[in-house]
Amino acid sequence: MSILQVKNLHVSVDTDQGAKEILRGVDLTIRSGEIHAVMGPNGSGKSTLAYSIAGHPKYTVTDGEILLDGENVLEMSVDERARAGLFLAMQYPVEIPGVSVSNFLRTAKTAVTGEAPALRTWIKDVREAMDNLKIDSTFSERNVNEGFSGGEKKRHEILQLELLKPRFAILDETDSGLDVDALKIVSEGVNRAHAASDLGVLLITHYTRILRYIKPDFVHVFVAGKIAEEGGPELADRLEAEGYDRYVKA
Amino acid sequence: MGAPVQHGLTEHSHGAGVPLQIRSDRLRSSSVADFPEITKQQDLWRYLDADQLKGLDADVLAEYSEQVSFSGPAGVDFEWILSSAAPVGSIGLPEDRVSAAGYTNASKTLLVKIADELNSSEEIKISVHGDSTSASALHVFISAGKFSNTTLIIEHTGLGVLSENVEIAVAAEAKLNLVTLQNWDKGSAHVSAHFAKLERNSYLKHTVASFGGDLVRVTPIATFSGPGAEVELNGVYFAEAGQHLENRPFVDHAAPNCKSRVTYKGALQGEKAHTVWIGDVLIRAIAEGTDTYELNRNLLLTDGTRADSVPNLEIETGEIEGAGHASASGRFDDEHLFYLQARGITPDEARRLVVLGFLVEVIQKTGIPTLVDSLTSLLEEKLNRN
Ligand SMILES: Nc1ncnc2c1ncn2[C@@H]1O[C@H](COP(=O)(O)OP(=O)(O)OP(=O)(O)O)[C@@H](O)[C@H]1O
Ligand SMILES: [Mg+2]
């Protein structure tokens, strides 16, 4: 049983006009096995929260803390956070020329577990995970994300999630840009990872559609750099019907 | 944590705005006297100081035949012939002073004759191993017979100061996979001109791999003399502190319906590491149906490095299949590093992965596994040095 705590998190980015505050005191606690959905208007800071937890160098934490089982995450480098069990499925996965998917996956797995995986089982695991996500086997030899379609990139993120087996996964709009079938395939992947290792999930989304497949325990409304309201799954339906007007005005 | 290590970008030039020297009009001669003393004002030498040539621009150079050994499968003959005899000079004549000095001063030429229809997976090897810094001259003539299909590696090691001319005759329907590897010791200078002539339906894959040497400058010139031929000019280089690695590939589309692909990739690391890539493609009026693309990419790994990259495309006919070029020099991408690190990979490992992937891709195109392995370890060693 693990616990990821975000406490009073304030984050800013450097702009030409100086530091700009984006997160304004975020409080959030996720336990193993819990699924939290975060919904909020464009530009409210959802990706900033995701990146800040992962440790992207662009963002500066000015106040607050992030704790993983009591350990100070903010003192860890990006790769240390990943090895500690945090995973970010990115909204816009980048292309990495010259690095093949198979080489990348093996290197990442080795880094995360601290030892090279046994070759025979690893190849089988990868093939199985790719089959499950309907990723063609030719993708192994392609360069990471290079020339992948939007939907293929998202499936590739979930492939990594399933293979690396983190303790907590942050999914930043993994559902955006997916067709109906892909949405189902990706959701099943998340549910598999959730069931297999008691994964804690922070699911950032704009649509309730994905919540039909991935059932959240909690829904958070994210507005202007912090959580404006929290509730159960029913909150998502209300947001879909009413929008964010009442939070934004408030 | 701090930001991942990022290094400043230095100069990068692009073809736009650079006046084209009409490549077809360039002087060709085997006589040193026909070329002016080398200065930085000359377009051909603008990226170099004459003293970097370590005497290769002199009138008199030493012979180098003692430094050369070779091996190959049955069907490949090696012979030192007089440079005044045929076929020497039939494929290409020098286009610059250093090449002319090499041409005049190499009294003998190593003739490598690949028999017609020889199809062999056993590599033909020419090893050039230097042991002094006296400026020297070497001439090699490679003749790939009709319908032959072979692989040839020229390897340069040791300490050397060398002007080299390599003529490559690719007969009709022949396939030649040629690699020239420059892995000289510190203190070496090597200026090499390759002249390839491709006859009807022939295929040449030509790879320049330059790693060691204070100065390494290679000018591969591929001329199509018959229709339906194809050339791949590939290159990979890694320049460290103080090294100057220059490549000047030129494809002369002088026959119709030929295809060329030029792909050079390099990485630079350390103070005053300098690379130059000048990629010329000429599509003559007769060369209808030409399909060409050239690309150069450079990865600047540290501060204080400089990559010059200039693609030139000269087109004299409108009836072509395609013609394009791309050139980019940049530093290591922050987002690449972040993505890999976010999967648990350490910054050092991430950097290694990206650079190796970037460069090894070119070496893989040779399809020679032993070469891929040895150059991968060589590159790993260099990367660990930083
Ligand atoms: N470098 C920057 N300079 C200025 N503003 C920035 C910079 N980086 C991010 N921002 C701003 O921070 C705010 C939050 O961005 P973020 O990407 O976190 O929003 P989001 O909630 O994920 O939006 P979306 O739903 O569109 O993905 C936005 O207004 C964005 O413009
Ligand atoms: Mg976002």
Side-chain angles (χ1 to χ4, degrees):
Chain A
M1 175 72 171
S2 287
I3 179 163
L4 176 65
Q5 294 165 289
V6 177
K7 294 181 175 171
N8 187 35
L9 191 68
H10 288 254
V11 169
S12 57
V13 288
D14 283 334
T15 71
D16 295 339
Q17 289 80 42
K20 174 183 170 190
E21 183 166 66
I22 298 174
L23 299 188
R24 303 188 167 93
V26 179
D27 288 292
L28 187 65
T29 297
I30 309 175
R31 292 178 178 78
S32 291
E34 291 178 356
I35 297 179
H36 294 246
V38 169
M39 305 183 79
N42 292 134
S44 56
K46 304 180 299 298
S47 291
T48 303
L49 173 63
Y51 275 131
S52 301
I53 296 172
H56 195 292
K58 187 173 116 179
Y59 302 96
T60 312
V61 174
T62 54
D63 200 5
E65 29 177 22
I66 303 176
L67 302 171
L68 176 59
D69 293 334
E71 300 247 15
N72 187 349
V73 170
L74 295 177
E75 277 179 0
M76 301 179 195
S77 63
V78 176
D79 47 309
E80 282 169 350
R81 294 179 198 204
R83 293 198 294 273
L86 298 179
F87 181 90
L88 168 62
M90 294 181 213
Q91 186 173 359
Y92 304 109
V94 297
E95 304 190 352
I96 308 191
V99 179
S100 71
V101 167
S102 68
N103 189 11
F104 164 67
L105 291 175
R106 193 168 7 89
T107 308
K109 184 67 182 178
T110 305
V112 163
T113 57
E115 58 178 357
L119 211 54
R120 179 107 58 69
T121 47
W122 173 245
I123 290 172
K124 191 173 131 279
D125 289 351
V126 173
R127 196 182 310 133
E128 207 173 283
M130 287 176 76
D131 282 350
N132 282 335
L133 289 163
K134 304 246 180 331
I135 299 173
D136 192 87
S137 61
T138 55
F139 276 74
S140 306
E141 292 320 310
R142 287 176 62 175
N143 291 332
V144 173
N145 293 320
E146 204 174 77
F148 290 18
S149 74
E152 287 164 352
K153 283 183 182 165
K154 297 302 179 70
R155 270 186 275 171
H156 181 237
E157 294 291 288
I158 301 307
L159 174 67
Q160 296 166 53
L161 169 66
E162 287 204 72
L163 289 169
L164 299 181
K165 305 191 192 315
R167 285 192 278 169
F168 291 96
I170 303 155
L171 310 178
D172 192 359
E173 295 199 28
T174 300
D175 55 335
S176 295
L178 293 181
D179 65 39
V180 209
D181 296 330
L183 180 68
K184 210 167 149 235
I185 290 164
V186 158
S187 302
E188 284 166 5
V190 175
N191 288 334
R192 264 195 309 274
H194 177 244
S197 54
D198 208 24
L199 179 73
V201 178
L202 181 68
L203 180 82
I204 297 169
T205 183
H206 285 294
Y207 310 102
T208 52
R209 212 171 45 145
I210 193 173
L211 302 181
R212 267 184 259 145
Y213 300 108
I214 304 174
K215 297 279 177 221
D217 304 298
F218 306 92
V219 173
H220 309 266
V221 185
F222 206 85
V223 180
K226 55 183 178 200
I227 290 168
E229 191 176 353
E230 297 176 312
E234 73 290 342
L235 182 53
D237 296 322
R238 209 175 81 206
L239 288 173
E240 179 137 280
E242 297 172 10
Y244 301 109
D245 263 12
R246 56 197 199 94
Y247 302 105
V248 177
K249 277 182 202 139
Chain B
M1 59 154 254
V5 188
Q6 286 297 308
H7 301 286
L9 169 83
T10 57
E11 202 162 328
H12 151 230
S13 55
H14 193 274
V18 177
L20 286 186
Q21 166 167 19
I22 303 304
R23 187 71 194 232
S24 42
D25 295 346
R26 194 177 284 176
L27 170 70
R28 290 182 174 82
S29 166
S30 58
S31 164
V32 184
D34 286 346
F35 297 94
E37 291 282 333
I38 289 171
T39 68
K40 257 188 137 74
Q41 277 66 50
Q42 297 156 26
D43 209 37
L44 268 175
W45 301 102
R46 57 182 291 205
Y47 298 100
L48 274 171
D49 290 319
D51 60 5
Q52 288 180 278
L53 293 168
K54 300 188 201 287
L56 286 173
D57 50 344
D59 292 326
V60 179
L61 305 179
E63 298 273 354
Y64 219 57
S65 44
E66 294 293 306
Q67 312 300 135
V68 181
S69 57
F70 38 76
S71 65
V76 179
D77 289 329
F78 298 89
E79 189 189 351
W80 286 100
I81 60 170
L82 285 177
S83 297
S84 52
V88 182
S90 62
I91 299 299
L93 286 179
E95 295 192 0
D96 65 61
R97 185 180 170 97
V98 172
S99 175
Y103 196 100
T104 333
N105 286 292
S107 68
K108 290 188 293 180
T109 291
L110 176 64
L111 177 64
V112 183
K113 249 184 114 103
I114 301 164
D116 288 354
E117 292 172 31
L118 174 68
N119 191 326
S120 176
S121 56
E122 187 187 332
E123 289 150 21
I124 305 164
K125 268 202 120 158
I126 302 174
S127 299
V128 180
H129 185 81
D131 56 13
S132 85
T133 55
S134 63
S136 307
L138 175 64
H139 200 132
V140 177
F141 192 107
I142 297 159
S143 160
K146 286 181 187 142
F147 292 97
S148 64
N149 184 355
T150 54
T151 295
L152 187 153
I153 301 177
I154 311 175
E155 189 178 47
H156 303 87
T157 54
L159 177 66
V161 174
L162 180 65
S163 168
E164 179 188 47
N165 289 295
V166 179
E167 295 183 71
I168 307 161
V170 191
E173 312 284 346
K175 280 195 169 74
L176 179 64
N177 180 14
L178 185 149
V179 178
T180 179
L181 172 62
Q182 289 65 243
N183 197 19
W184 297 99
D185 293 346
K186 218 176 168 46
S188 302
H190 182 202
V191 175
S192 182
H194 284 216
F195 307 89
K197 195 181 245 176
L198 287 92
E199 290 181 23
R200 183 176 44 82
N201 293 341
S202 65
Y203 173 76
L204 171 66
K205 191 186 312 193
H206 184 278
T207 307
V208 177
S210 297
F211 302 108
D214 294 4
L215 163 71
V216 178
R217 166 165 144 147
V218 183
T219 305
I221 301 173
T223 305
F224 291 113
S225 63
E230 180 177 346
V231 73
E232 259 184 69
L233 298 183
N234 298 324
V236 56
Y237 44 93
F238 192 108
E240 292 179 276
Q243 277 185 289
H244 178 110
L245 305 180
E246 185 163 331
N247 290 287
R248 294 176 166 262
F250 170 40
V251 183
D252 189 349
H253 279 270
N257 301 316
C258 292
K259 179 176 169 183
S260 61
R261 290 288 178 272
V262 181
T263 308
Y264 274 70
K265 286 186 176 184
L268 298 84
Q269 157 177 300
E271 202 54 39
K272 294 216 160 65
H274 187 190
T275 66
V276 176
W277 180 84
I278 312 291
D280 291 347
V281 174
L282 168 63
I283 305 173
R284 295 181 191 258
I286 189 182
E288 293 183 355
T290 287
D291 178 4
T292 178
Y293 194 83
E294 54 168 352
L295 170 142
N296 175 232
R297 293 209 187 293
N298 298 294
L299 208 43
L300 310 178
L301 301 178
T302 64
D303 282 334
T305 59
R306 169 179 170 152
D308 290 288
S309 179
V310 186
N312 293 319
L313 194 53
E314 225 178 300
I315 308 180
E316 295 173 353
T317 171
E319 304 297 311
I320 55 174
E321 278 294 304
H325 65 71
S327 154
S329 301
R331 55 187 200 158
F332 220 39
D333 193 311
D334 248 336
E335 297 299 328
H336 289 168
L337 269 187
F338 175 72
Y339 189 84
L340 294 168
Q341 277 183 267
R343 300 303 180 242
I345 299 168
T346 61
D348 277 353
E349 175 80 2
R351 183 171 157 279
R352 213 180 58 88
L353 204 62
V354 171
V355 181
L356 271 182
F358 175 76
L359 297 178
V360 170
E361 208 172 32
V362 179
I363 306 168
Q364 274 166 348
K365 285 176 191 273
T366 64
I368 308 171
T370 49
L371 192 74
V372 175
D373 289 349
S374 64
L375 294 186
T376 302
S377 348
L378 180 75
L379 286 168
E380 277 179 338
E381 219 173 277
K382 287 179 184 292
L383 283 168
N384 289 338
R385 239 175 259 168
N386 189 28

